[in-house]
């Protein structure tokens, strides 16, 4: 599962590139750091067959005032909440996400990611400019931290997902990441 993730720009050129899409913004510092549900985040969508950046709010507002932040890959096509947004695919850009593991009597926070490389998480967005992260069953090393994990795409898979909606198997996506203690 993904309840928080982290983002920071790798260099100044990336901020300048984003500013070309949002010239009204003086700064994008609000995007950096640990991201929580209901905060804005940088993601990519497909518009007129071109991948473009968007700033959207994390979490679909639910019917009972709850915020849905994740969507299970296995049931996307069956859940009415997500069925109508299956064509609205997005990819969330992150430097890693966080999971907590119980160690003794306390929970230890771990950063899951790869040093100096972005991760691309599959997601969906709605007309209210909100997004959810698609998750799958955890496997391998991730199962030690949680029973779910975000569906992490490679750069090539990201384009295929945005254009065709094809979700790869989790095992084909997540093997290149590494768990690092955030302590």
């Amino acid at each position: 599962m993904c309840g928080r993730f982290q983002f920071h720009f790798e260099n100044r050129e990336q901020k300048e590139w984003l500013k070309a899409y949002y010239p009204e913004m003086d700064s994008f510092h609000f995007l950096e750091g640990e991201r929580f549900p209901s905060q804005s985040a940088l993601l990519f969508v497909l518009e007129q067959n071109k991948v473009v950046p968007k700033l959207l709010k994390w979490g679909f507002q639910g019917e009972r005032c709850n915020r849905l932040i994740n969507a299970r890959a296995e049931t996307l096509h069956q859940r009415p909440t997500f069925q109508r947004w299956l064509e609205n695919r997005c990819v969330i850009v992150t430097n890693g996400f966080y999971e907590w593991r119980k160690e003794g009597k306390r929970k230890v926070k771990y950063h899951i990611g790869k040093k100096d490389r972005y991760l691309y998480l599959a997601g969906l967005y709605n007309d209210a400019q909100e997004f959810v992260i698609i998750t799958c069953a955890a496997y391998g090393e991730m199962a030690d931290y949680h029973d779910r994990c975000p569906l992490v795409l490679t750069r090539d898979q990201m384009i295929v997902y945005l254009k065709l909606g094809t979700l790869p198997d989790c095992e084909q996506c997540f093997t290149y990441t590494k768990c690092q203690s955030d302590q």
Side-chain angles (χ1 to χ4, degrees):
M1 195 164 109
C2 188
R4 291 192 202 156
F5 62 90
Q6 185 233 6
F7 176 79
H8 67 269
F9 290 101
E10 299 292 336
N11 55 52
R12 184 181 170 118
E13 289 79 35
Q14 291 170 337
K15 283 185 184 179
E16 294 302 320
W17 170 79
L18 188 58
K19 191 167 179 147
Y21 286 91
Y22 297 96
E24 69 279 6
M25 300 252 192
D26 289 333
S27 173
F28 292 97
H29 69 278
F30 68 93
L31 288 176
E32 296 190 281
E34 194 168 340
R35 310 310 302 150
F36 295 83
S38 80
Q39 291 183 318
S40 294
L42 175 65
L43 46 90
F44 293 108
V45 300
L46 194 66
E47 287 184 353
Q48 299 174 351
N49 212 28
K50 184 178 176 187
V51 177
V52 297
K54 287 282 184 187
L55 304 175
L56 300 181
K57 185 186 224 180
W58 186 11
F60 283 15
Q61 188 62 49
E63 294 173 8
R64 292 179 227 139
C65 296
N66 59 338
R67 188 163 288 281
L68 303 173
I69 61 172
N70 294 317
R72 291 176 173 256
E74 303 89 342
T75 59
L76 276 178
H77 295 25
Q78 300 159 3
R79 302 260 331 259
T81 305
F82 304 119
Q83 277 179 336
R84 57 194 259 199
W85 307 115
L86 292 174
E87 296 297 314
N88 289 11
R89 296 176 293 274
C90 64
V91 173
I92 300 92
V93 182
T94 175
N95 302 93
F97 58 94
Y98 295 98
E99 290 296 349
W100 288 259
R101 181 166 61 181
K102 192 167 184 167
E103 295 181 4
K105 293 184 179 185
R106 65 186 191 112
K107 285 189 171 183
V108 178
K109 181 179 176 182
Y110 285 89
H111 178 262
I112 313 297
K114 192 150 188 165
K115 191 176 171 110
D116 301 326
R117 184 187 293 177
Y118 288 124
L119 299 181
Y120 304 100
L121 311 181
L124 299 174
Y125 68 97
N126 63 20
D127 287 344
Q129 302 301 291
E130 302 164 327
F131 72 91
V132 293
I133 295 172
I134 297 174
T135 65
C136 60
Y139 53 89
E141 192 175 348
M142 271 308 299
D144 293 338
Y145 296 87
H146 200 281
D147 62 336
R148 307 284 306 163
C149 66
L151 185 57
V152 181
L153 305 172
T154 65
R155 211 172 160 96
D156 291 339
Q157 290 168 334
M158 175 179 87
I159 303 302
V160 171
Y161 170 64
L162 286 174
K163 289 188 175 186
L164 304 177
T166 305
L167 284 173
D169 292 332
C170 286
E171 290 85 357
Q172 295 174 343
C173 303
F174 204 73
T175 55
Y176 69 92
T177 60
K178 177 182 172 187
C179 299
Q180 302 169 339
S181 174
D182 194 43
Q183 304 297 320

